[in-house]
Amino acid sequence: MKRGTAVVWCMSAVGLMGACGGQPEQTPAPGSGDTVTTATQQLVPAPPTPFDSYLYIAGNLSVGSAVTGNTGTSAAYEGYKLTVPAHTQVALEVTHLGTGMGVDTGLYVYGPKTPSGYGYRPLYGDDDSGYGELSKLPLATLDQAGEYLVVVGWSNGLAKNYRLQASCVGGACVPNPSPAPANAPVTLAAFPLEGNLQALVNAGNAYREDMYSFLDRYDFAWPYSTPAALNAAAAAVLARSEYAGYRNDPSPDTYTYAAFQSRMYLQFQPLHQAILDTYGEDAANAQVKSYFREFSTGPNGDNWRTLNIILLPVSRHVLVYEQTAHEI
């Protein structure tokens, strides 16, 4: 059984589908004396909030383009406004091309902007997933339309340039998307669950000791005009080792999202509508595939577990809701 999900700000995605907004940058090979060191730099944390004097808004960033800034001579942060339609998927990177050697960056995304600002907690963040000590977010799914703030920070002011690039990898920013190929796979990237959904899970888990549930979030880049298939999403989930125990179910069930609500334990049913609201998904689009397993750990030790794979095709999320019960 899974033991839960660590809450972190950044999980790197792998195996993304092809990007739009131009070809991905080809990282130049290091030249003579152009070495990469990682031992001496420090973590670049998210900027203190409220931003106030900690952050300079340097300008605008558009999907499919790049901007250039300069670190100055001390550690600092600069922000760029990124305005997108709902369900936009972007890759953000401080690129090796155009960034001075030795610059150590952090990269964070806030928003969307409200009358109160961009919020106090980053939606996405990364320190050193790019080239050397540079930052890279291969997949950031922006569910709501609006203005986001992309923040670049650095720990060492070397008076050198940096280059921030935004590329489209799926969703609403894809121009003239083509239909998905037959049997197109779904490649999952794990991300932390939103706080409001985790709070509902926690409340349900406190209700009674013999019923417990988990809810995990995965995103997938999807640049096509036709939706991902539920079977492809289910295959991607079951390929993960933590769900291996469900692979032997010979006859998994498929539900509409409306019908799925009655399959949830009563104390967890507030999640049903909250999931749709959080990701801006219509119930008519969402689909669920459920796998069941049971086993016994001894006298009075019967266990029943259901793995529910929830595909949100418009918002490009897969939610995995696992509910368990055992004898007491």
Side-chain angles (χ1 to χ4, degrees):
M1 183 179 80
K2 295 192 303 88
R3 299 299 181 186
T5 301
V7 178
V8 295
W9 282 335
C10 174
M11 299 290 288
S12 291
V14 297
L16 292 180
M17 309 299 292
C20 62
Q23 293 296 316
E25 175 190 325
Q26 299 298 312
T27 300
S32 175
D34 189 17
T35 58
V36 179
T37 58
T38 59
T40 60
Q41 305 290 8
Q42 64 186 24
L43 176 71
V44 181
T49 53
F51 296 132
D52 296 333
S53 60
Y54 296 107
L55 180 65
Y56 168 65
I57 306 297
N60 298 313
L61 174 66
S62 300
V63 178
S65 69
V67 293
T68 298
N70 189 279
T71 65
T73 57
S74 61
Y77 298 91
E78 289 186 344
Y80 295 88
K81 300 175 183 178
L82 176 68
T83 301
V84 298
H87 308 309
T88 291
Q89 295 186 293
V90 297
L92 300 163
E93 181 178 6
V94 180
T95 63
H96 177 43
L97 177 67
T99 300
M101 286 303 300
V103 175
D104 178 19
T105 62
L107 183 60
Y108 300 92
V109 181
Y110 294 83
K113 188 177 183 180
T114 70
S116 300
Y118 295 99
Y120 292 91
R121 187 182 180 92
L123 301 175
Y124 300 94
D126 178 69
D127 185 30
D128 295 331
S129 294
Y131 183 91
E133 298 289 341
L134 302 180
S135 309
K136 182 177 183 179
L137 293 167
L139 176 61
T141 300
L142 307 176
D143 293 306
Q144 299 181 50
E147 181 183 295
Y148 292 79
L149 190 66
V150 180
V151 176
V152 180
W154 50 89
S155 63
N156 49 356
L158 302 177
K160 292 186 177 182
N161 285 349
Y162 67 84
R163 179 177 179 270
L164 172 63
Q165 176 177 285
S167 303
C168 176
V169 295
C173 58
V174 179
N176 303 313
S178 59
N183 302 315
V186 168
T187 301
L188 299 177
F191 288 92
L193 189 67
E194 282 73 9
N196 64 309
L197 297 180
Q198 188 61 57
L200 292 175
V201 173
N202 294 344
N205 285 335
Y207 185 71
R208 50 187 293 175
E209 63 176 293
D210 60 333
M211 292 181 175
Y212 207 82
S213 290
F214 304 91
L215 184 64
D216 292 322
R217 169 192 162 188
Y218 300 91
D219 296 358
F220 60 97
W222 197 256
Y224 305 115
S225 61
T226 52
L230 178 60
N231 285 341
V237 171
L238 292 184
R240 300 179 67 90
S241 60
E242 59 264 46
Y243 306 120
Y246 293 95
R247 295 172 187 167
N248 294 326
D249 184 348
S251 54
D253 296 313
T254 301
Y255 302 98
T256 65
Y257 195 72
F260 170 62
Q261 183 171 7
S262 64
R263 310 293 301 180
M264 304 174 75
Y265 296 147
L266 182 64
Q267 62 269 36
F268 296 100
Q269 289 189 10
L271 281 168
H272 189 266
Q273 184 61 44
I275 288 172
L276 299 178
D277 294 341
T278 298
Y279 299 113
E281 191 81 28
D282 192 311
N285 297 323
Q287 306 168 64
V288 184
K289 192 165 189 176
S290 297
Y291 295 79
F292 178 75
R293 62 188 288 247
E294 60 181 331
F295 59 90
S296 179
T297 57
N300 299 319
D302 289 344
N303 284 258
W304 306 273
R305 299 184 180 179
T306 305
L307 188 75
N308 303 282
I309 299 168
I310 304 168
L311 172 63
L312 306 179
V314 174
S315 57
R316 277 77 169 171
H317 300 290
V318 172
L319 279 294
V320 179
Y321 171 65
E322 184 180 18
Q323 60 182 19
T324 75
H326 62 272
E327 284 187 299
I328 55 175

